[in-house]
Amino acid sequence: MKIMVVEDEGIIAEDVITSLQKSGYMVDHSTDGEDAWIRGDTENYDAIVLDLGLPSLDGLTILKRWRAAECTTPVIILTVRDNWTERVAGINAGADDYLTKPFVMEELLARLRAVLRRSNGHSSDMISLSSLLLDTRQQSLIIEDTTHLLTSLEYRLVSYFFHHQNRIIPGAELLDHIYGDESLSNGNALEVLVARLRRKLGKEKIKTRRGQGYWMSDTD
Ligand code: CA
């Protein structure tokens, strides 16, 4: 397995490269955006670890160019702590996963194994909607820097909103999706669930149109 590490900070790069090599990966190292972009475009890596802040070309631009060129190599981005907008932008640009600096190497290795496992089907486990991220693997919702675990009913509802962004969804359709054939479904149960989620997400995130249904918008 050949991995490219794109990181201009010497100490971090050295740690990452040593850990990857110890775990049996072949590692190429790039410290410059322009160079990384060209290598990612021309060489055949199994995965790329990409820092976003780089000389000559920033990581987000590189990632967008790769994805525009239909390069589907799994990419894990390294982002700065407390910068959730950067993380959302990275996921939107086609990153498969992210790590927030500082991170422990075991976590990088675990995430790398996961993206490599998934790279056949190549679908992201993260879906974004405005400033929210839904982690479909963990069934959790990341709001700014906080991870909220969801109950399975909450997850089914949120996931349906995320997959149908900006569409007003009738209550009956939501109920059908959440409860399936279970006869206990009723409008009141939906209202209770929506109220619970609004407490987690913020009141304004789930919008209501009287008599028509609920929706979540990708703009705040
Ligand atoms: Ca950097």
Side-chain angles (χ1 to χ4, degrees), residues 161-213:
F161 282 130
F162 270 65
H163 284 97
H164 299 88
Q165 305 187 6
N166 303 315
R167 177 162 80 80
I168 299 174
I169 307 161
E173 183 179 335
L174 287 171
L175 282 168
D176 185 50
H177 188 78
I178 299 162
Y179 294 99
D181 291 333
E182 289 174 43
S183 55
L184 49 91
S185 69
N186 61 58
N188 190 42
L190 181 62
E191 275 168 35
V192 170
L193 194 55
V194 166
R196 214 159 72 198
L197 274 171
R198 279 177 171 152
R199 282 198 291 277
K200 286 192 180 176
L201 273 61
K203 200 173 181 305
E204 70 297 339
K205 296 284 185 197
I206 301 175
K207 302 174 199 316
T208 316
R209 186 162 295 168
R210 214 179 168 74
Q212 291 185 47

Side-chain angles (χ1 to χ4, degrees), residues 7-9 51-55 101:
E7 171 60 88
D8 58 318
E9 284 151 79
D51 182 36
L52 292 187
L54 294 166
K101 292 180 186 178

Side-chain angles (χ1 to χ4, degrees), residues 50-75:
L50 177 68
D51 182 36
L52 292 187
L54 294 166
S56 82
L57 198 62
D58 68 276
L60 267 185
T61 305
I62 298 171
L63 181 55
K64 283 180 191 160
R65 287 190 189 175
W66 285 337
R67 295 307 187 228
E70 292 181 11
C71 160
T72 58
T73 307
V75 173

Side-chain angles (χ1 to χ4, degrees), residues 10 38-39 45-46 50 59 68 84 91 99 106 161 174 208 220:
I38 293 163
R39 284 211 231 174
Y45 294 108
D46 293 291
L50 177 68
W84 58 268
I91 298 295
L99 273 172
E106 284 71 20
F161 282 130
L174 287 171
T208 316
D220 274 326

